[in-house]
Amino acid sequence: MTVPLDVDSSSGGLPSFLVRDDVLCWSRRENGLVGFGELARFTASGPDRFLEADIWWRHLVIEADVTDPLELPGTGPVAFGSFAFSKTSDFESRLILPEIVVGIRDGQAWLTQLTLDDVELTEAGALATLAGWLSGESGTRESAAGELTAAGGSGVGHPTSSQLLSFSGPKTTTTASQLGDGKVTLESGSLSEAAWKQAVAEGVAKIRTGKLEKLVLARDVVATLPDGVNAAKVLQQLASRYRECWTYGVDGLVGATPEMLIQVEGRTAQARVLAGTLDRRDAEGVDGSPMEYAERVLAGSEKQRHEHEIAIQSLTTQLAPFSEAMNAHSEPFILELPNVWHLASDVKAELADIEGHVPTCLALINALHPTAAVCGTPTLVAGELIRELEHMDRGPYAGPVGWLDAAGNGEWGIALRGAIIESPTTVRLYAGCGIVEGSVPDAELAETWAKFRPMLESLGISN
């Protein structure tokens, strides 16, 4: 059941609901979705993980009794998901059906409560359940409902987010910024810096043989915060500082990705492709404006533009069989983020009717992933070389992360600029670089540190 929800414009929108470490999150600017609780979960691994998840979801929602007066993307039944990058990964891809979802889209807010039982859902019950999740005390839900009714004026009413959040209590651990000096450690993961640079050199050598055009190599580092990891604080920091990115949180996977693998709304699909990166710190002290520097060094780089063209060609070629019309930028634009600049291109397609139905977002992901932006090209050759050179299981890093609804709408980013919270005190961060013939190992290593920066800063770690 979905009901409208009044949200105080001064509250910060959707990110103001990021008050729990276990929240499911998909947020950009003031918009997005957050989920609380878990009613059902699907897990899968292997090459058919996307299609198996698609079948599970369609079977789950096909007989659902849905009350949804808004009928917007993200209203009604919604599942959040995270998928492994590789079909050989030990990581279990998952879709999670939450109990409560709060959504905001272009100033319109709503609350959805879901149940797998025959219990009758009511607006008052949904508001009370949300208040209970925000407060962390399920026993307070009935009394909270009474207070929310009063706050709404007549009848049940629609409380503002600030009224709902007034029920929240302490739910998170000590923040990184409160840790004592010397307690936080940051160590290399699967490969040392020297070993990773050697892997880059080996990748360049393979490219020069003509076996592949591009290879994406990733590395990991492990942060230890003895006083605990505050996941909600991390998401709040990312949502606040990286407003042009999509902040995500699913089962301990957190981050803020600038890259949209596929967004489906009705019959329209959109994607944002990134390839080509420049650290903003490189512009310090140079003549002219920072953007002029970025245009000269990034947009004017033959290496960077070649890498970007490979990524665009990869996505549009894979998307074409599902589209009756497609439009992509003829020239990439420069995406400005707090830590880096990227060469970026947006792609828009009208989906074709294939055998009587429009392809679902998970079916599209099955065809699109992995793109050259996160794997390389040719894909099979690059994938094999990644497993040989990285010496790690990427897990959900660089895999699809996002949400889908019962109507076929969904948003799936690529899990970049992120980390996995592996324990209450340890976080594994990932970053990767596109390797082409002109790549230099030292420069690629420096680029990984620029890409680690969003997560390090959100953890309170300076680098």
Side-chain angles (χ1 to χ4, degrees):
M1 182 187 69
T2 296
V3 296
L5 186 68
D6 288 341
V7 172
D8 185 347
S9 61
S10 65
S11 69
L14 198 283
S16 65
F17 287 89
L18 301 177
V19 297
R20 293 182 61 96
D21 281 353
D22 57 354
V23 70
L24 297 160
C25 169
W26 181 263
S27 169
R28 184 170 185 254
R29 300 173 183 162
E30 284 73 38
N31 300 322
L33 300 168
V34 295
F36 301 94
E38 181 179 323
L39 291 181
R41 171 185 294 244
F42 172 83
T43 59
S45 58
D48 297 325
R49 59 199 183 282
F50 304 116
L51 298 181
E52 290 174 4
D54 194 20
I55 292 170
W56 177 82
W57 178 243
R58 284 187 285 165
H59 284 175
L60 186 68
V61 301
I62 194 170
E63 296 182 356
D65 183 8
V66 179
T67 301
D68 179 9
L70 301 180
E71 295 186 344
L72 296 171
T75 61
V78 167
F80 294 78
S82 167
F83 288 84
F85 169 80
S86 173
K87 62 184 179 182
T88 65
S89 175
D90 290 333
F91 175 81
E92 283 193 329
S93 302
R94 71 279 315 264
L95 287 179
I96 300 172
L97 180 71
E99 180 183 5
I100 284 284
V101 177
V102 176
I104 299 178
R105 179 185 175 90
D106 300 328
Q108 172 71 67
W110 64 88
L111 168 64
T112 299
Q113 184 174 18
L114 302 131
T115 180
L116 297 179
D117 302 321
D118 293 329
V119 177
E120 182 179 357
L121 298 178
T122 66
E123 187 172 347
L127 293 169
T129 302
L130 175 59
W133 278 108
L134 293 173
S135 69
E137 301 175 9
S138 59
T140 66
R141 293 181 185 178
E142 289 188 10
S143 61
E147 294 182 54
L148 290 171
T149 301
S154 60
V156 173
H158 306 309
T160 66
S161 64
S162 58
Q163 290 167 340
L164 284 169
L165 293 170
S166 68
F167 292 99
S168 64
K171 318 204 176 42
T172 54
T173 53
T174 305
T175 65
S177 61
Q178 294 172 312
L179 299 175
D181 291 341
K183 289 187 178 180
V184 177
T185 62
L186 189 64
E187 300 176 335
S188 294
S190 301
L191 292 175
S192 67
E193 291 190 353
W196 190 80
K197 288 194 293 183
Q198 179 60 37
V200 171
E202 292 177 22
V204 171
K206 289 284 187 181
I207 291 170
R208 288 175 177 165
T209 67
K211 293 182 178 179
L212 71 167
E213 280 190 88
K214 177 184 175 180
L215 172 68
V216 179
L217 286 180
R219 57 184 289 257
D220 60 334
V221 296
V222 179
T224 302
L225 294 83
D227 288 349
V229 180
N230 186 329
K233 184 68 172 179
V234 167
L235 292 172
Q236 290 168 4
Q237 291 281 338
L238 292 171
S240 173
R241 299 193 68 247
Y242 289 83
R243 287 171 48 81
E244 296 305 309
C245 297
W246 290 269
T247 297
Y248 57 87
V250 179
D251 252 16
L253 173 68
V254 294
T257 181
E259 189 154 2
M260 175 65 71
L261 176 61
I262 198 72
Q263 176 188 44
V264 177
E265 183 176 333
R267 295 188 61 159
T268 301
Q270 299 185 75
R272 171 162 288 181
V273 181
L274 307 181
T277 304
L278 180 63
D279 190 343
R280 292 192 59 158
R281 289 182 177 176
D282 291 347
E284 294 175 0
V286 301
D287 294 333
S289 71
M291 185 55 74
E292 288 173 341
Y293 175 80
E295 290 173 350
R296 184 173 67 253
V297 176
L298 186 59
S301 167
E302 182 178 346
K303 169 189 175 292
Q304 302 278 22
R305 291 182 70 92
H306 175 60
E307 181 184 341
H308 188 80
E309 288 168 4
I310 292 172
I312 281 288
Q313 185 65 38
S314 167
L315 182 125
T316 54
T317 299
Q318 296 300 101
L319 187 57
F322 301 93
S323 309
E324 59 185 28
M326 189 184 305
N327 179 44
H329 288 150
S330 58
E331 282 288 317
F333 64 92
I334 294 179
L335 177 65
E336 185 176 7
L337 300 176
N339 60 324
V340 296
W341 289 288
H342 287 296
L343 284 182
S345 292
D346 288 336
V347 177
K348 186 174 184 179
E350 292 302 313
L351 298 174
D353 192 311
I354 301 174
E355 297 181 352
H357 68 274
V358 175
T360 66
C361 53
L362 289 178
L364 293 173
I365 290 172
N366 184 62
L368 296 174
H369 178 80
T371 66
V374 293
C375 180
T377 186
T379 302
L380 292 178
V381 177
E384 291 177 1
L385 197 53
I386 284 171
R387 289 189 287 273
E388 176 185 333
L389 296 178
E390 285 186 352
H391 296 282
M392 70 175 181
D393 183 346
R394 288 187 178 185
Y397 167 72
V401 61
W403 63 270
L404 75 167
D405 67 17
N409 306 302
E411 292 182 288
W412 292 88
I414 299 175
L416 305 175
R417 312 295 191 271
I420 299 174
I421 300 173
E422 295 187 330
S423 80
T425 57
T426 59
V427 183
R428 187 174 299 271
L429 293 74
Y430 296 85
C433 298
I435 309 302
V436 292
E437 187 174 352
S439 295
V440 178
D442 283 335
E444 302 300 336
L445 179 67
E447 183 176 316
T448 64
W449 281 114
K451 292 175 175 177
F452 281 134
R453 204 174 301 143
M455 280 303 309
L456 291 173
E457 291 173 346
S458 70
L459 291 167
I461 301 172
S462 59
N463 177 60

